Amino acid sequence: MIKLSKTEEKIMGHLWEMKRAYLKEIIECFPEPKPATTTLATLLKRMVDKKVIDFEQHGKSRLYFPLVQKKAYFKNTVGEMVSNFFNNSPVQFASFFTKENDLSKDELKDLQTLINEQIKKLE
């Protein structure tokens, strides 16, 4: 899967949330100072070229929509992070995540419940 820049990921986040949006609507999602129209149009073109989004032409306007599902992109991104930073070990990743994020007792119990549910599915 294609890797996106941080700004492209922000655009994808807005498109995943809105499902379909025109350039002007995407710009409105950004905080001040808003990106220039030309800058955002360039990023959208790159994203179309990467085949992560597409558009429908409506007169002079383009209605953009995602081609990549959020879950698939997230899974791939986390997988790359685990591979690159944790020797491809989900256990090392989980260990780092739980120790370095100051999780509360309740959050740790929630994670434990999720893990136990996954174990049961494998039995």
Side-chain angles (χ1 to χ4, degrees):
M1 187 173 289
I2 301 295
K3 180 68 179 145
L4 300 176
S5 70
K6 293 295 178 195
T7 307
E8 290 170 337
E9 285 181 349
K10 287 179 184 177
I11 293 168
M12 283 301 292
H14 296 311
L15 284 174
W16 283 322
E17 185 177 313
M18 295 186 293
K19 309 284 190 252
R20 295 173 169 267
Y22 292 100
L23 175 63
K24 184 178 178 181
E25 295 171 319
I26 298 169
I27 290 172
E28 289 303 313
C29 293
F30 282 85
E32 294 292 342
K34 303 221 182 271
T37 302
T38 53
T39 301
L40 202 54
T42 299
L43 288 168
L44 289 166
K45 182 188 178 320
R46 285 186 195 161
M47 294 170 72
V48 168
D49 292 344
K50 292 178 180 182
K51 298 185 183 346
V52 294
I53 66 170
D54 205 354
F55 63 89
E56 295 171 355
Q57 194 74 40
H58 291 224
K60 292 183 179 182
S61 299
R62 293 179 172 182
L63 182 63
Y64 293 94
F65 55 90
L67 294 176
V68 175
Q69 293 181 351
K70 183 177 182 178
K71 185 176 181 179
Y73 183 77
F74 183 71
K75 181 179 179 180
N76 184 70
T77 302
V78 171
E80 285 182 7
M81 184 177 58
V82 170
S83 176
N84 293 338
F85 296 107
F86 299 98
N87 299 320
N88 210 27
S89 170
V91 174
Q92 283 183 17
F93 170 73
S95 174
F96 175 83
F97 179 79
T98 55
K99 290 177 183 175
E100 299 298 325
N101 283 294
D102 297 325
L103 299 175
S104 70
K105 185 175 182 177
D106 287 340
E107 289 170 324
L108 288 168
K109 284 182 178 183
D110 288 344
L111 283 173
Q112 186 176 31
T113 299
L114 290 170
I115 291 168
N116 289 338
E117 288 172 0
Q118 290 300 312
I119 291 170
K120 285 180 184 178
K121 286 180 183 178
L122 296 173
E123 291 176 340

